[in-house]
Amino acid sequence: EIPGRTKQLVAGGTLEPARVLEGSPAVGRTLAELDLRTRTGALILSVVRNEQPLPTPGPETRLAAGDLLVLFGPHVAIDRALEVFEPGERARAGG
């Protein structure tokens, strides 16, 4: 049995893999610098580099081209977050 609060949290979002593409403004930036949750509403749950999951990613985790991320959030937040990892980011910083 999943506790009500956890069930509510899980029901409020979806898990989605995202690849950090070469040329993305996210390359070389830390999770703190990206501030993805504030900007898009999505959370980065995991970072996989060279097929090895990094230990719990923190604000100091710096992204590299080719990293595979596991994102969590509502569909609209995931859509906004995916744009951040594409070359020539469409989602404007601070906007």
Side-chain angles (χ1 to χ4, degrees):
E1 177 75 24
I2 299 174
R5 192 176 185 87
T6 304
K7 190 182 278 186
Q8 209 173 3
L9 177 69
V10 172
T14 183
L15 290 171
E16 185 76 29
R19 182 76 63 182
V20 180
L21 300 176
E22 191 69 56
S24 159
V27 172
R29 296 179 72 193
T30 65
L31 298 186
E33 288 168 343
L34 282 178
D35 197 16
L36 202 66
R37 184 170 190 182
T38 301
R39 289 174 60 191
T40 69
L43 289 173
I44 296 175
L45 298 183
S46 180
V47 178
V48 179
R49 181 171 295 152
N50 301 323
E51 300 186 23
Q52 295 295 316
L54 300 182
T56 311
E60 72 292 338
T61 300
R62 196 170 295 279
L63 297 177
D67 283 355
L68 180 65
L69 311 176
V70 178
L71 304 177
F72 175 80
H75 287 286
V76 65
I78 297 290
D79 288 345
R80 284 194 298 255
L82 290 173
E83 292 178 357
V84 174
F85 304 110
E86 296 173 354
E89 176 187 3
R90 289 177 287 172
R92 303 270 324 189

